[in-house]
Amino acid sequence: MDVLMTALPYDQTETLVQSLKSIEKDTEKVFLELSRALPALVQEMQQSLTRSDDAIRTMADTQGATAPGSSGSSTLLAETNRAVRDWESRFQALSERETALFDQLRSAVTSLETISSSIDQIKLDSEDMEIVSLNAMTVALKAGNAGRAFSYITEELKRLSNKTIALSDTVSKAGKDLISSFSGFENELEETRSAQESFFVSFQTRMTQSFEDFERAVESLITGSQELRDKSRDLKQPINRMMEAIQLQDLIRQSIDHIIMALEVIKPEETLEGRSELLDELAFLRQIPPLAESLIEDVARQIDESLGTFMTLTVDAEERLEELDRERKEFVRGTVVLPNKEEISFDALMTEISGILEELVSDLNTNLRRKAHLLSQSEMITGNVEELQNTFRTFHTLVNRFRSIDIAARIEVAKQSVLRAMGTSTEHMTKLTQKIGNDVESSLTVTQEFIESTATVMDNYRTLYQEEARFADTFQQDMKDHYRHLEASREQVNKIISGFSLFTERFFAVFRQSKENGKKLQNTSSEIRRLKEQLAAMRHTIETRYQEVLKEENLEDWTIEDTRLREIIERFTIFTHKQQAGELAGFTVEDGVASGDVTLF
């Protein structure tokens, strides 16, 4: 052989086969990682969905209290409404008793007007008595020594009349002050009762509304979490399709095996015997590089297509994840929208509800302070009534003195004939004395009855106040208990919300890993295509040697049977590769299995 002849590319074949095997090994590693990661991704996604379902179910249990011994917001709302109705009924009973006492007090105050009339009459009678005393004094002075004793009597009568008039003024003023005090007490009592009525109407409305707001807020959060969960389920489709998009391991392995199978038929030239065998071999080998190039391009194309689909799905999944995470963060803020309210955070709603409770408790305590003030007023008024009674006892003393003077005057008139002209005046004096006495007795009786009546009313009011104070304490404690349970529900919901996540951290880690592994396939496609350069060089080497031998033998061409190539092609396990090879070799292959029907990992 000529020393300058071109050698068959046996060494190139070995290098190329090693490169192909290296690519096969690297891709197998990538696919192995993907084969582990993607099922784990699907599993983590399912676990994330299950965890989201559990969180939503727990939140729903918080609302409905399905768990034994729990108290959900729905239950709390129903219990609170029952408690409000119960407390309202109990309050109504206390209010009715208070109204009855109020009516009794109003009736008792009316009797003060009778006392006032009697006092006015006592004053008028005392003024008449003063005139009588002046007339008697005039007669006594005219009588001289005979009327000296009588003049002492008239002076005492005048003095008593003045005392009675002054006392009448004092008692009259005290009575009017008492009436004014009772009138003020009555007005304040009415204002307190009105405020109390308003408080309970406000309490019932605001208390119920606050619990209903909480209930609606929980419903809103449950709905929001369910919507997020439903959206996260939509991620299953691109994730599952990502798995389908990279089912290429067997395809790549078989394709590389086909290429190696074709390349391994190249032998060193020294192993061939004779020119005919050499030409047969070269004519056969001329078809190997194009066949290998075709197979390589097919593998690279399928990797590109699969990788393109995989990366598109990855981007789609990533965008959905980012959107879901934004919505989740908004959800975790616990923001809700209630009827007739602007958007409000769950914590702000609870602060508002807590403020309502504080206001209600404050209003109730204010009402109790007003009641305590009224109680203090009632005790002061009772003391004033007792002072009035003592004043009437002073009247009683004066009346007794009037009677003594009346008797003394009549005795003097009987003894002294010169005083007989005083008979009419003494009779008038006697009548006035009797009248004043009767008015005083009558007033004392009415005053005594008033004192007893008001004392009973005030005692009952004091008892009622004490009951209301106990009622208020129990009521406040009960309402605080309801709010404490509500706060416990709020904390539970907040805990669920703050920890609410659609996907686990491992899910995101596996997703990122899968994405990176997918990108590695881009290198595989490039590496496979770079092998086409080596095949082109191999094709050139074979063609050059083929032309050299033809020239040496003075031949234009050399034809051989395609049996060897057909045998190689028939061993291909991918039908599309058989078709491609058959087209290159110029023969038709039998129908076989489509390229997609390969073993998947």
Side-chain angles (χ1 to χ4, degrees):
M1 291 185 182
D2 195 322
V3 294
L4 298 176
M5 71 177 182
T6 302
L8 289 179
Y10 182 77
D11 293 339
Q12 289 178 291
T13 302
E14 286 293 321
T15 301
L16 194 57
V17 168
Q18 290 302 317
S19 297
L20 285 167
K21 288 182 177 180
S22 176
I23 290 173
E24 181 180 6
K25 183 178 179 182
D26 291 342
T27 55
E28 185 175 356
K29 182 180 178 182
V30 172
F31 279 112
L32 183 60
E33 290 177 355
L34 282 170
S35 69
R36 291 171 180 168
L38 286 176
L41 188 64
V42 174
Q43 184 180 7
E44 284 298 320
M45 182 172 62
Q46 188 57 51
Q47 288 179 356
S48 297
L49 290 171
T50 301
R51 194 174 69 171
S52 298
D53 286 339
D54 290 343
I56 294 169
R57 193 178 303 110
T58 303
M59 202 183 305
D61 289 347
T62 301
Q63 182 188 37
T66 57
S70 61
S71 183
S73 58
S74 296
T75 305
L76 278 174
L77 179 60
E79 289 178 351
T80 303
N81 285 334
R82 282 196 298 271
V84 168
R85 288 193 295 270
D86 179 53
W87 283 112
E88 185 181 19
S89 174
R90 294 169 66 179
F91 162 74
Q92 192 62 38
L94 288 172
S95 184
E96 287 173 0
R97 287 172 59 190
E98 194 172 71
T99 300
L101 288 176
F102 180 74
D103 292 340
Q104 291 175 27
L105 188 60
R106 182 177 293 166
S107 175
V109 171
T110 305
S111 65
L112 280 176
E113 297 175 2
T114 304
I115 298 173
S116 182
S117 297
S118 297
I119 292 170
D120 290 342
Q121 190 58 52
I122 291 171
K123 181 179 179 181
L124 290 174
D125 290 343
S126 298
E127 289 174 347
D128 286 347
M129 187 72 82
E130 185 179 30
I131 294 171
V132 168
S133 68
L134 290 172
N135 290 336
M137 186 175 291
T138 302
V139 173
L141 290 173
K142 288 180 181 181
N145 291 331
R148 184 175 297 171
F150 191 74
S151 66
Y152 288 121
I153 293 172
T154 57
E155 285 179 6
E156 180 64 16
L157 183 62
K158 182 177 181 298
R159 188 176 63 79
L160 283 175
S161 297
N162 288 335
K163 277 188 174 182
T164 305
I165 291 168
L167 187 59
S168 297
D169 287 338
T170 301
V171 172
S172 178
K173 182 178 182 306
K176 289 176 182 177
D177 289 344
L178 198 56
I179 291 174
S180 177
S181 296
F182 268 107
S183 178
F185 180 77
E186 180 181 349
N187 290 336
E188 193 167 346
L189 182 60
E190 182 61 33
E191 289 177 5
T192 301
R193 290 173 67 247
S194 176
Q196 188 169 267
E197 291 279 359
S198 175
F199 160 73
F200 262 87
V201 170
S202 171
F203 156 74
Q204 184 177 18
T205 302
R206 298 178 71 188
M207 185 76 172
T208 303
Q209 183 65 47
S210 64
F211 274 78
E212 287 178 351
D213 283 349
F214 180 85
E215 173 76 359
R216 290 193 187 97
V218 175
E219 287 177 357
S220 175
L221 291 171
I222 291 174
T223 301
S225 60
Q226 288 172 337
E227 289 174 354
L228 276 174
R229 187 267 320 275
D230 291 341
K231 286 183 179 180
S232 67
R233 287 185 185 279
D234 294 340
L235 194 64
K236 292 176 73 173
Q237 183 180 8
I239 295 294
N240 287 331
R241 289 183 61 199
M242 282 169 61
M243 289 185 63
E244 297 170 3
I246 55 159
Q247 304 291 328
L248 295 174
Q249 183 181 3
D250 278 358
L251 180 64
I252 292 174
R253 178 179 52 76
Q254 291 178 59
S255 297
I256 289 176
D257 286 348
H258 295 169
I259 298 170
I260 292 173
M261 191 186 302
L263 293 174
E264 285 181 339
V265 299
I266 299 177
K267 304 174 183 177
E269 186 172 333
E270 58 268 22
T271 63
L272 301 174
E273 297 179 1
R275 290 291 181 171
S276 295
E277 189 174 345
L278 176 59
L279 285 170
D280 284 347
E281 185 71 14
L282 289 171
F284 166 69
L285 293 179
R286 290 177 68 204
Q287 301 177 70
I288 297 302
L291 174 60
E293 287 179 23
S294 173
L295 295 178
I296 282 175
E297 183 56 36
D298 184 63
V299 172
R301 178 186 56 77
Q302 292 196 58
I303 289 176
D304 287 344
E305 290 177 357
S306 179
L307 181 60
T309 302
F310 178 83
M311 296 309 294
T312 299
L313 292 169
T314 302
V315 170
D316 179 31
E318 205 164 32
E319 288 176 353
R320 293 193 193 190
L321 281 172
E322 289 175 358
E323 181 181 355
L324 284 169
D325 197 50
R326 283 194 300 271
E327 293 184 15
R328 183 194 66 82
K329 287 176 180 176
E330 286 294 317
F331 173 76
V332 169
R333 285 174 52 204
T335 303
V336 294
V337 179
L338 300 174
N340 303 320
K341 286 181 180 285
E342 295 181 356
E343 189 176 60
I344 185 171
S345 72
F346 195 59
D347 282 342
L349 174 64
M350 284 305 301
T351 300
E352 183 178 306
I353 292 174
S354 179
I356 290 173
L357 176 61
E358 289 177 3
E359 284 183 37
L360 292 173
V361 170
S362 175
D363 289 345
L364 183 59
N365 288 333
T366 299
N367 188 63
L368 278 176
R369 285 194 295 271
R370 295 183 70 169
K371 292 284 185 72
H373 177 65
L374 284 173
L375 184 62
S376 176
Q377 275 189 300
S378 71
E379 291 173 350
M380 182 183 69
I381 292 172
T382 301
N384 292 339
V385 172
E386 290 175 353
E387 287 181 12
L388 183 63
Q389 184 183 34
N390 293 332
T391 304
F392 271 109
R393 289 196 179 96
T394 304
F395 262 129
H396 199 271
T397 302
L398 292 176
V399 169
N400 288 336
R401 186 61 181 155
F402 268 123
R403 287 171 180 160
S404 298
I405 291 173
D406 177 50
I407 293 170
R410 280 189 282 138
I411 291 172
E412 277 301 311
V413 169
K415 285 168 55 179
Q416 303 292 337
S417 57
V418 72
L419 298 176
R420 292 182 193 258
M422 285 295 300
T424 303
S425 295
T426 54
E427 288 177 6
H428 193 192
M429 185 190 307
T430 301
K431 288 180 180 179
L432 286 173
T433 299
Q434 289 175 347
K435 192 174 181 184
I436 291 171
N438 290 336
D439 286 340
V440 169
E441 289 295 334
S442 175
S443 297
L444 275 171
T445 300
V446 173
T447 302
Q448 186 61 40
E449 291 174 353
F450 176 78
I451 288 173
E452 292 175 357
S453 176
T454 53
T456 300
V457 171
M458 295 306 179
D459 284 344
N460 289 337
Y461 186 78
R462 186 179 297 104
T463 301
L464 186 61
Y465 166 77
Q466 292 168 349
E467 287 184 27
E468 287 191 5
R470 289 193 294 272
F471 164 88
D473 287 342
T474 308
F475 167 78
Q476 288 183 45
Q477 187 58 49
D478 189 26
M479 290 303 101
K480 286 179 180 177
D481 286 345
H482 282 281
Y483 270 94
R484 190 173 66 254
H485 294 154
L486 191 69
E487 176 67 17
S489 293
R490 194 269 300 185
E491 288 178 358
Q492 188 172 5
V493 172
N494 255 1
K495 184 178 179 181
I496 295 169
I497 293 172
S498 61
F500 188 82
S501 61
L502 294 168
F503 301 100
T504 63
E505 285 299 321
R506 174 163 168 73
F507 171 86
F508 287 104
V510 174
F511 182 84
R512 287 190 295 269
Q513 181 186 354
S514 299
K515 182 180 176 182
E516 291 303 314
N517 286 334
K519 289 180 179 178
K520 291 178 182 178
L521 291 177
Q522 291 177 324
N523 298 330
T524 301
S525 175
S526 300
E527 288 176 12
I528 288 179
R529 280 196 170 92
R530 278 197 293 272
L531 296 181
K532 291 169 67 176
E533 297 176 3
Q534 298 181 46
L535 286 169
M538 183 182 293
R539 179 193 297 196
H540 176 72
T541 300
I542 294 173
E543 183 63 27
T544 300
R545 182 61 180 143
Y546 177 64
Q547 293 299 329
E548 287 176 352
V549 175
L550 284 177
K551 187 176 180 180
E552 289 173 1
E553 298 296 326
N554 294 316
L555 296 173
E556 295 291 331
D557 196 9
W558 186 264
T559 303
I560 62 168
E561 292 294 327
D562 60 358
T563 305
R564 286 180 63 194
L565 187 61
R566 183 184 293 273
E567 287 176 356
I568 293 172
I569 293 172
E570 287 299 333
R571 289 166 60 192
F572 288 179
T573 57
I574 300 174
F575 180 65
T576 53
H577 289 181
K578 286 185 178 183
Q579 287 181 315
Q580 292 173 13
E583 290 173 2
L584 288 171
F587 58 82
T588 303
V589 299
E590 297 178 358
D591 292 342
V593 181
S595 62
D597 296 335
V598 294
T599 305
L600 306 180
F601 65 83

